[in-house]
Amino acid sequence: MAFRKPISTLGGLTWWKNTRQNEYFILQEHKVGMPIWPYKYRIIMRENRMEIANSNDFTEIKHDWNYLEDHAVPQIEDKIDWLNDGKLLDFMTTIILQKT
């Protein structure tokens, strides 16, 4: 996987074609590729248009896409609602009262 620190998405749709999209990510294919650009495919975050993965091999970028969908997308049903947790609220109240 070619995951890395997000960088600017230089070029926009002038050089890139959107091939797959969801609510969080966009998979793009470079219209020319080598030797103009060092890689053919990239995944960018929809929220801030930053590139987070790239590859010259479609199967590798597809694997990255699947990994992101399974692990990076917020899991709403697994989210812990800390603010409405009565035990946590009681614990925090106890700590605050001990310090005063």
Side-chain angles (χ1 to χ4, degrees), residues 32-38:
V32 179
M34 292 295 274
I36 303 295
W37 202 255

Side-chain angles (χ1 to χ4, degrees), residues 18-28 42-50 52 61-75:
N18 293 346
T19 58
R20 180 175 283 183
Q21 302 181 50
N22 68 16
E23 185 179 348
Y24 304 101
F25 307 108
I26 301 172
L27 174 61
Q28 295 181 324
R42 71 181 182 181
I43 298 173
I44 62 175
M45 294 184 285
R46 183 178 288 279
E47 181 177 326
N48 59 10
R49 309 294 283 180
M50 299 294 272
I52 56 172
I61 203 74
K62 177 78 168 82
H63 176 74
D64 294 345
W65 178 268
N66 292 336
Y67 179 87
L68 287 169
E69 282 188 321
D70 293 342
H71 297 94
V73 174
Q75 305 294 322

